[in-house]
Amino acid sequence: MATKEDLQRYEAFFEAADTDKSGCLSIQELKNCLAGSGFDDQTIIDMFVEFDKDGDRKVTKKEYMTALGKLPPSRLDEAKLRKAFKDLDSDNSGTLDAGEIKKALSSCGTKITDETATAIIKQVDTDGDGKVNVKEFLAVFRSQS
């Protein structure tokens, strides 16, 4: 269940997303607000449908708050992880290469060699393309929970 702070964040997000101030979110408003979050269009549509309990193609604040208040923390954490992936993907390729891995760890104070960055990718890269895509990135964190 969501904490009081979580609910305040959800409400602030709703207010920011509701650009026409109608008190409801349209699918376009949700897409616009989540544009930089790392969610693809289909995931945003699926979320919208899940939130829109009465099927009127609008998500009221009550529907939104009820849905998010019941989401398990792992679902909310995934949004944060997708955002982190997008932030790390400096060339916007949809994948992380050894240079981006090295840069990310360096920004956290951990210096690694090119060989170590490549070894990290090999451990995570399930499709063998030599890069880490968002699914592979998320899988690392799911396996730790």
Side-chain angles (χ1 to χ4, degrees):
M1 284 301 191
T3 66
K4 183 179 179 181
E5 292 80 22
D6 290 335
L7 293 174
Q8 288 171 338
R9 265 195 336 270
Y10 304 158
E11 188 166 353
F13 177 88
F14 184 93
E15 297 298 330
D18 183 19
T19 55
D20 68 1
K21 303 301 177 205
S22 66
C24 299
L25 297 182
S26 68
I27 185 68
Q28 194 57 53
E29 285 174 319
L30 190 60
K31 280 183 179 181
N32 291 346
C33 203
L34 292 175
S37 69
F39 287 112
D40 61 24
D41 279 353
Q42 189 57 54
T43 302
I44 295 171
I45 291 167
D46 292 345
M47 286 171 46
F48 186 87
V49 169
E50 185 176 330
F51 294 168
D52 183 20
K53 293 299 181 193
D54 63 7
D56 65 353
R57 296 180 180 224
K58 294 182 273 181
V59 174
T60 65
K61 187 182 225 176
K62 182 178 178 182
E63 287 172 322
Y64 174 81
M65 296 297 286
T66 300
L68 282 181
K70 292 179 181 175
L71 282 178
S74 61
R75 225 16 228 283
L76 300 173
D77 291 343
E78 182 176 328
K80 292 175 188 172
L81 290 170
R82 286 179 179 275
K83 174 78 170 95
F85 179 89
K86 189 167 179 62
D87 291 345
L88 295 174
D89 182 18
S90 58
D91 63 1
N92 295 317
S93 64
T95 60
L96 302 178
D97 61 26
E100 289 165 322
I101 298 287
K102 188 175 176 182
K103 182 179 173 185
L105 290 173
S106 177
S107 73
C108 298
T110 303
K111 303 279 187 219
I112 62 170
T113 64
D114 291 340
E115 294 78 21
T116 302
T118 301
I120 290 169
I121 288 178
K122 284 182 182 177
Q123 287 180 338
V124 177
D125 178 24
T126 57
D127 65 9
D129 67 355
K131 299 175 186 169
V132 177
N133 62 42
V134 71
K135 284 184 178 182
E136 293 163 337
F137 182 80
L138 292 172
V140 169
F141 292 95
R142 284 190 191 116
S143 68
Q144 294 177 4
S145 56

